[in-house]
Amino acid sequence: MVAALLADLFEGHRSHLLSVAYRLTGSVADAEDAVQEGWLRLAVARQSEIEDLRAWLTTVVSRICLDRLRSAAVRREQYVGQWLPEPIVTSAAPSSTPDPLAALVRKQDCRFAALVVMDALTPPQRVAFVLHDGFGVPFDEIAGVLDISVEAARQLAVRARKALAHTPEPVPDEEHNLAVQQFLEALLRGDVNSVIAALHPDARTIGDAGGTTGTAINIVEGAEKNTRLWLGLRTRYGFNDPERLAGGFEPVLVNGQLGMLIHERASENGYPGTPMRIYGYTVRDGKVWGIYDLVNPAKLTGVRLPN
């Protein structure tokens, strides 16, 4: 009975803990693992010593995530190409059984552009910022998680805020959808001027394949360079061929905003094949500013689509 009650209490906090863990790690797999490990630690903890279960669990999961962030920082040193967060990909159609992770990405600091910038923070900066600004955790508790002084924790959050200040503000879904649709329609038509017009002057494409397949190794910056890149890919992969296009594209939500899933395609008719890949977008000033090509299968565990 006691174990069942404890499990019920934990389940009441699971959505909150997933939200904390995903924002801290930028990884669906790490977030889910951290929450599960939090449950295992709770199961063997002395219940009489826990005054506030939500605060206790938040601290425990945050410490687990801090270790995972430090491990990820080491992995990034040997990573091939660019490193992007793991997206949460859900159906563009409303679901009768919403995923807890799908709900949390509606929050602004879970949008993909924000997570990209947070990935550039140091692990302590990210923990201080997410816990304080995202969840209102007092700096004295954050200091305990990081094993530093309260003032040091406060300064870490300040530096993180400065880094995030240059992240484009999330736009309303209608504006985002219109800009992405204009870009994709121009691309499918192969209209050079329309593609350039749909892209922000500072547009950038960031690919993450981890060496598993082809994508841009370096960040491609500028509207004209991106236009050449995407029109070239359109021709190479046969996206100007209606038969090749049929069934190959699926609109999805990438961290809560319109993106695109490209289904795995085999080589045919002289066109190279491609594994499943996810395209996410960030819109700025009514134009597509960020294009994220996510193709490393190890980072697609957050694809939550009905079979």
Side-chain angles (χ1 to χ4, degrees):
M1 182 65 70
V2 173
L5 176 60
L6 189 62
D8 285 343
L9 290 171
F10 179 82
E11 287 302 317
H13 296 291
R14 180 179 290 276
S15 179
H16 162 73
L17 296 174
L18 280 171
S19 181
V20 170
Y22 180 65
R23 286 193 242 184
L24 284 177
T25 63
S27 164
V28 176
D30 282 349
E32 293 177 331
D33 287 349
V35 172
Q36 182 61 25
E37 188 172 340
W39 159 247
L40 295 176
R41 294 191 186 185
L42 174 63
V44 298
R46 293 183 178 180
Q47 307 304 313
S48 60
E49 298 178 359
I50 302 175
E51 296 181 2
D52 183 332
L53 181 58
R54 184 184 179 94
W56 187 90
L57 286 168
T58 300
T59 296
V60 168
V61 168
S62 296
R63 285 175 174 156
I64 295 169
C65 290
L66 179 61
D67 290 340
R68 290 178 179 270
L69 278 171
R70 287 169 171 158
S71 175
V74 174
R75 295 198 306 271
R76 288 180 67 167
E77 293 177 0
Q78 287 84 38
Y79 200 74
V80 177
Q82 304 301 311
W83 174 288
L84 288 171
E86 292 182 20
I88 295 175
V89 181
T90 53
S91 174
S95 172
S96 58
T97 56
D99 188 303
L101 284 172
L104 79 90
V105 293
R106 300 299 301 175
K107 299 177 181 179
Q108 290 191 2
D109 55 355
C110 281
R111 296 300 170 88
F112 210 76
L115 288 174
V116 170
V117 177
M118 282 201 285
D119 263 0
L121 300 176
T122 66
Q125 285 175 347
R126 187 165 186 164
V127 169
F129 171 78
V130 168
L131 291 184
H132 185 267
D133 288 40
F135 297 96
V137 177
F139 279 118
D140 59 340
E141 294 182 22
I142 296 171
V145 171
L146 296 173
D147 195 23
I148 57 176
S149 70
V150 173
E151 182 56 30
R154 184 176 289 109
Q155 287 305 310
L156 286 171
V158 169
R159 287 194 284 273
R161 281 187 216 109
K162 288 180 179 178
L164 285 162
H166 303 293
T167 305
E169 289 290 330
V171 301
D173 289 344
E174 295 79 7
E175 181 179 344
H176 177 94
N177 295 349
L178 178 61
V180 171
Q181 288 166 359
Q182 288 177 337
F183 168 68
L184 293 176
E185 288 169 2
L187 185 60
L188 291 176
R189 292 196 308 270
D191 186 332
V192 174
N193 292 330
S194 295
V195 173
I196 291 176
L199 290 169
H200 191 281
D202 299 326
R204 72 274 319 276
T205 291
I206 306 176
D208 182 343
T212 63
T213 190
T215 189
I217 295 295
N218 300 310
I219 299 174
V220 179
E221 298 184 281
E224 292 188 0
K225 287 184 178 180
N226 274 281
T227 296
R228 290 196 295 271
L229 169 69
W230 286 102
L231 287 177
L233 291 173
R234 170 184 178 271
T235 301
R236 180 184 178 191
Y237 286 98
F239 295 153
N240 54 344
D241 183 337
E243 292 186 6
R244 181 73 170 168
L245 275 176
F249 289 75
E250 179 180 350
V252 292
L253 297 182
V254 179
N255 284 49
Q257 292 191 304
L258 179 64
M260 193 66 64
L261 181 152
I262 309 299
H263 291 280
E264 181 177 2
R265 305 300 296 269
S267 301
E268 61 180 355
N269 300 328
Y271 298 122
T274 179
M276 183 182 78
R277 58 206 313 149
I278 299 294
Y279 291 128
Y281 304 94
T282 296
V283 170
R284 190 173 197 170
D285 302 327
K287 298 178 183 292
V288 171
W289 175 84
I291 305 172
Y292 311 103
D293 178 18
L294 297 129
V295 67
N296 184 350
K299 290 193 175 185
L300 297 181
T301 62
V303 177
R304 310 297 177 89
L305 297 174
N307 295 325

